[in-house]
Amino acid sequence: MAIKLVTTAAELRAESARLLKEKGGNSFGFVPTMGALHSGHATLARIAVAANDVTAVSIFVNPLQFGDAVDLDRYPRTLDADMQLLDAEGVDLVFAPSVDEVYPDGQPLVRVTSGPLGEKWEGASRPGHFDGALTVVAKLLHYALPLCALPGGSAADGGAAAYRAYFGQKDAQQLALVRRMVADLNFPVEIVPVPTVRAEDGLALSSRNRFLSDDEREAALVLSRALRLLEQRANAHEPLDLPSAVALVRSQPLVELDYFDVVDPRTLEPLAENCQDTPFRGEGLAIIAAKVGPVRLIDNIPLNS
């Protein structure tokens, strides 16, 4: 069956219920995106399709996440290509609402606040970004909510016994915040993290990579090289020696480093080990953000020892 495009929340609910009933399904997967899809998004879709009877993907460029109107206007919109990619992965529905559908009264007066967890790292560099991101994710999760994920619902209602939403681990802070929001506000959805997808040379896939020149793309590889250096040291039970990894990044003249640290993957608090000469022990997350030419890139890698 060919993929179907819907543009309103009412259509999304109706088509989801119809498909679940038609398939006799009891699980619903949802992948929120901003479009301009690449192989990383394809992996998210593929994993969701494999685990669920019905899968929907949203494509919405959320204006609340952009502090710069120029950045919002320049964000690529590639709906036709996105639909083809998702159709090839077996996705059932694409939900591509307008701004007026998501924010019918204009800028929302009430928003989800990301709190202290959203004020550090990316939040410090992009004030208000995570408030906007969580607000739209909350709305999208409600739009896609299958009937039987609610108390008293059942698969016979056209809903789904299991409701899962899929997020890439490349956006580590967003993932941590979404998990916290879902737990703190009792959303009836399971958040499923999906490992970062990389190009063969190690660069984390991002919709923004298309704006890099050839020289800038080559320079951007220093981010993943520095992360892998910390991973190798953690695996070898060696001191992480973060300053030397920072120096490696700063040695690349086309890269302007914003932050590079090792944090707790749940709280995003810096770990004491990241600046000590003792061997790394335990669990951590190395996170990095930098501007490469005009493009801001983020990346991370889990550390386990």
Side-chain angles (χ1 to χ4, degrees):
M1 182 180 63
I3 194 170
K4 180 162 185 178
L5 174 67
V6 296
T7 59
T8 69
E11 290 174 331
L12 175 63
R13 294 188 186 105
E15 281 301 307
S16 298
R18 183 186 67 78
L19 285 168
L20 283 161
K21 186 174 183 180
E22 182 179 287
K23 294 185 177 186
N26 62 2
S27 58
F28 185 83
F30 181 56
V31 184
T33 82
M34 290 209 301
L37 305 185
H38 49 65
S39 297
H41 297 104
T43 298
L44 284 168
R46 190 177 312 128
I47 290 172
V49 167
N52 298 281
D53 296 305
V54 175
T55 298
V57 173
S58 65
I59 295 175
F60 178 67
V61 182
N62 178 32
L64 300 190
Q65 290 175 234
F66 291 82
D68 183 349
V70 173
D71 198 23
L72 172 62
D73 290 341
R74 135 177 180 170
Y75 193 89
R77 277 80 165 174
T78 57
L79 181 60
D80 289 343
D82 294 346
M83 291 280 292
Q84 291 178 14
L85 179 148
L86 296 171
D87 193 21
E89 297 299 339
V91 170
D92 298 287
L93 289 170
V94 170
F95 175 47
S98 66
V99 173
D100 288 340
E101 173 70 14
V102 177
Y103 304 117
D105 298 317
Q107 292 275 329
L109 298 180
V110 176
R111 307 187 186 193
V112 177
T113 301
S114 58
L117 189 59
E119 294 171 357
K120 58 189 74 173
W121 310 121
E122 282 301 288
S125 297
R126 304 168 68 187
H129 168 74
F130 286 118
D131 291 357
L134 289 183
T135 297
V136 79
V137 168
K139 290 175 74 73
L140 292 169
L141 290 176
H142 284 310
Y143 288 152
L145 180 67
L147 296 178
C148 79
L150 296 169
S154 70
D157 297 324
Y163 179 30
R164 307 180 183 102
Y166 295 77
F167 291 83
Q169 290 180 335
K170 184 180 77 71
D171 296 310
Q173 189 168 5
Q174 176 179 273
L175 174 60
L177 281 161
V178 169
R179 282 173 149 170
R180 194 69 260 167
M181 177 183 72
V182 164
D184 288 348
L185 301 183
N186 302 105
F187 281 49
V189 59
E190 176 190 356
I191 301 302
V192 181
V194 177
T196 301
V197 179
R198 300 182 181 277
E200 289 185 6
D201 57 13
L203 185 66
L205 298 187
S206 168
S207 300
R208 297 176 184 270
N209 290 352
R210 69 187 66 198
F211 297 125
L212 296 169
S213 69
D214 290 344
D215 288 344
E216 289 163 352
R217 194 188 186 290
E218 181 66 26
L221 297 179
V222 75
L223 276 64
S224 57
R225 284 203 300 269
L227 290 170
R228 285 199 305 269
L229 180 61
L230 295 189
E231 180 186 39
Q232 291 163 4
R233 290 171 178 170
N235 291 342
H237 307 292
E238 297 174 353
L240 295 184
D241 188 13
L242 182 61
S244 70
V246 169
L248 172 62
V249 178
R250 295 194 187 281
S251 71
Q252 174 49 255
L254 294 180
V255 176
E256 180 184 344
L257 184 64
D258 182 355
Y259 59 78
F260 188 8
D261 216 324
V262 177
V263 300
D264 182 288
R266 289 163 292 276
T267 66
L268 303 182
E269 288 295 321
L271 295 175
E273 295 95 333
N274 68 356
C275 58
Q276 300 296 326
D277 295 327
T278 55
F280 177 80
R281 301 290 182 192
E283 181 184 12
L285 184 72
I287 57 173
I288 191 168
K291 273 189 91 173
V292 183
V295 182
R296 180 181 176 81
L297 299 177
I298 61 173
D299 200 353
N300 67 83
I301 201 163
L303 304 179
N304 295 284
S305 176

